Amino acid sequence: MLFVICGGVWAIYPVVFSISTFCGIFHCILTGLLAVFTITSYCLASFKSAGAPADMRWGSYPMVGKNDLENYTFCTYCSKPKPPRAHHCRSCKMCVLDMDHHCPFIGNCVGASNHHAFVIFLISVVISCSYAAGMTIYSSYRIWPPLDFENLASTRRSMGYIKMLIEIIGTLASSAFFLSARGFVTVYLAFASLSVNAGIGVLLFQQLSYIYEGNTYLNRLSSPNVMHGERGLQNLIRFFGCPYSVSRVLSGYSNTGKLQDNSSSKLL
């Protein structure tokens, strides 16, 4: 992230400020906000505890009331009771409540305490990479050396599509030798932003679909045919901390749709 930010400052800012001062100032403000938001959400997801269960010893009757350990299992690694929907992470060496997965990119588990920060981090990365890809592609177009397509224009009628494509690629490759160091960094940032955006976008879609289903990745992996909660938009609203009234309206709307589907199926 720091390389993308520093490389963008060095490679793209001169191109943006050459357009107009207003565009340069607007780009500085927007880039600063996206960078601060992305790094802050990354730090929250990385350094915040994923969510450890309550520390209670097995068989300590003064601490555990009747039926307080219902549906609990015993973790052989921690030698402690393990709550429902909790999993033991061998990398973090602890049990995590509502564990989704262990993410190597943040060096931490994604659980009940930092799942919200992790999804916000993914959203900020997708938005930042989309903006970075657009700016780097535009900057690459502005600083790319002139292309000579005269031979292509004169012989395009006698050439096939494959030969035309080879000619275009050869012209781009030959002109790339005249790129400056700033141009090479800009082209690299364009490809890096597009590839990272594609991968993180797929991961974000997967996370949002699991939240919509009221499930986690590990629970879906261990029991794919078992519903661990009620699916619907109210799960997304509740996850992102929207007001209770909005969540209640959406849940009522989804329940009304289910009742209509049931009634129509009964009529059929």
Side-chain angles (χ1 to χ4, degrees):
M1 288 187 293
L2 292 177
F3 173 75
V4 172
I5 294 171
C6 296
V9 169
W10 178 71
I12 298 177
Y13 275 40
V15 179
V16 176
F17 273 98
S18 65
I19 301 173
S20 66
T21 305
F22 174 78
C23 292
I25 295 175
F26 177 78
H27 176 70
C28 290
I29 296 174
L30 185 58
T31 305
L33 291 176
L34 290 176
V36 170
F37 195 70
T38 303
I39 294 177
T40 302
S41 59
Y42 170 80
C43 292
L44 288 175
S46 179
F47 298 109
K48 188 177 181 180
S49 175
D55 189 11
M56 57 175 65
R57 298 185 180 277
W58 190 273
S60 57
Y61 296 104
M63 296 177 59
V64 181
K66 186 178 181 180
N67 297 328
D68 282 351
L69 295 181
E70 189 176 0
N71 297 326
Y72 274 57
T73 56
F74 186 75
C75 179
T76 56
Y77 298 98
C78 299
S79 299
K80 295 178 182 179
K82 184 169 64 175
R85 293 172 61 96
H87 298 272
H88 183 86
C89 178
R90 297 185 180 181
S91 299
C92 298
K93 298 179 180 180
M94 60 177 291
C95 289
V96 179
L97 293 172
D98 286 339
M99 180 179 173
D100 188 84
H101 67 286
H102 181 86
C103 182
F105 299 105
I106 64 174
N108 193 10
C109 283
V110 179
S113 297
N114 65 342
H115 198 182
H116 182 268
F118 179 74
V119 174
I120 295 297
F121 167 67
L122 296 182
I123 295 174
S124 62
V125 168
V126 170
I127 296 174
S128 301
C129 286
S130 299
Y131 181 74
M135 294 303 300
T136 50
I137 291 173
Y138 176 76
S139 300
S140 300
Y141 171 76
R142 289 287 300 268
I143 65 178
W144 196 274
L147 300 176
D148 185 13
F149 288 115
E150 293 181 359
N151 297 329
L152 181 64
S154 61
T155 59
R156 62 181 179 180
R157 293 184 179 180
S158 60
M159 296 174 62
Y161 291 106
I162 298 178
K163 291 184 177 180
M164 288 180 61
L165 181 61
I166 294 175
E167 185 70 21
I168 292 173
I169 294 175
T171 304
L172 290 173
S174 61
S175 62
F177 286 104
F178 299 98
L179 277 174
S180 61
R182 180 175 282 108
F184 277 110
V185 172
T186 304
V187 173
Y188 172 77
L189 289 177
F191 281 104
S193 300
L194 290 173
S195 58
V196 170
N197 200 14
I200 299 298
V202 172
L203 180 59
L204 176 61
F205 176 78
Q206 182 189 54
Q207 287 292 311
L208 293 179
S209 63
Y210 288 152
I211 296 171
Y212 177 83
E213 295 174 358
N215 210 345
T216 60
Y217 172 74
L218 285 180
N219 287 333
R220 181 68 178 273
L221 197 65
S222 59
S223 53
N225 298 323
V226 178
M227 293 295 295
H228 295 274
E230 186 178 358
R231 58 185 299 172
L233 289 175
Q234 69 275 4
N235 294 330
L236 290 171
I237 299 297
R238 193 182 304 113
F239 179 82
F240 288 106
C242 290
Y244 175 74
S245 58
V246 178
S247 177
R248 188 174 182 181
V249 169
L250 288 177
S251 61
Y253 176 77
S254 61
N255 291 332
T256 303
K258 292 179 181 179
L259 291 175
Q260 290 178 355
D261 292 340
N262 293 332
S263 60
S264 60
S265 61
K266 289 181 180 178
L267 290 175
L268 293 174

